[in-house]
Structure formats: C-alpha cells, structure tokens
Amino acid sequence: MSFVGKLDQFRLPDLLQIISGNRKTGRLALTRRDSQAVIVFRSGKIIYAASNSARETLGSLLLCRQLVDEEGLAGALEIQHTAAEEKRLGTILVEQGLLTEETLRQVITRQIEGVISEIMQWEGGFFKFDVLRLPDHGEVEV
C-alpha cells in the first residue's frame, strides 16, 4: 500500500501525525527539485531519517561530543566494514561496550531531529509512504 501526494497539500507535521497515530511501519520518501530524504517508521516510531544534504554522521557526532575516541570508532567501523552481514555502527559500539544504549538513543534522536528540522523548511515537494515489513526490534526507536 502506498500513500502519495504533494507537500503543499499534506505538510510534514501532518504526515508524521498520520503515520505515528496509526502506528504504521514503513518508509516515507520525500523529494523536491534539489533534495531527497527518507524517514523510516516502525509501529509509528521513527527509527531512521536521512537526507542527501550535508549532515553529520553518527561517528562524527560521537567524536565531537567526546562520547567515543578515534581508536574505538575506527575499530567499530572496521568491524562494520568486514562483517558478514550488515550491522549498524551504533549497535557495534554498544556491543563493544564503548557506548550505552541510552547515550546512543540520545545522539540518534538529535541526528534525526536535525534531518526532520531540515525537511520542515522545505517549501514544496512530493512524498510517498510505502508500508514495509520490519522486525519488531533491532533499531533505536525515537
């Protein structure tokens, strides 16, 4: 099932409210002439957000806040790069004991807020929400 439209007909806060209020799981793709963004939901909660504009990576945010050191981050990135199956950086850092789940949740929340704040500034564009099947756990929910 897809839900498509223009951002001048359904503003982003309204879309977020609809998806969250109905506890939907899926991917909200947003586009405009010069930008693209995606927000992923599980049971109405945001678990991921990204855009193609310049943004700080999770690793950069952790380093700037001195929550991990360069050696620990480099080790976690190497594990991520060489792992047989895909694993998120934050998950690796928590498993390595370099970060607590609560700290990871706080940093990811700030990262997601930055992306959504940026999208809120968009004057127009298009959206498409596709329902997805996702595991009930595995990513930080915001």
Side-chain angles (χ1 to χ4, degrees), residues 64-125:
C64 288
R65 291 184 169 90
Q66 298 179 340
L67 297 170
V68 297
D69 60 23
E70 288 192 35
E71 183 181 335
L73 178 60
L77 287 167
E78 185 173 336
I79 290 169
Q80 184 184 39
H81 180 71
T82 60
E85 59 182 62
E86 185 178 336
K87 203 172 230 188
R88 309 284 300 175
L89 177 61
T91 301
I92 294 168
L93 290 166
V94 170
E95 288 173 354
Q96 296 284 308
L98 299 173
L99 203 59
T100 66
E101 284 191 35
E102 181 55 31
T103 300
L104 175 62
R105 181 175 285 107
Q106 290 171 0
V107 174
I108 289 175
T109 297
R110 292 227 173 116
Q111 188 180 32
I112 289 172
E113 286 171 348
V115 172
I116 291 175
S117 177
E118 171 198 329
I119 301 166
M120 292 280 199
Q121 306 298 317
W122 289 13
E123 293 292 321

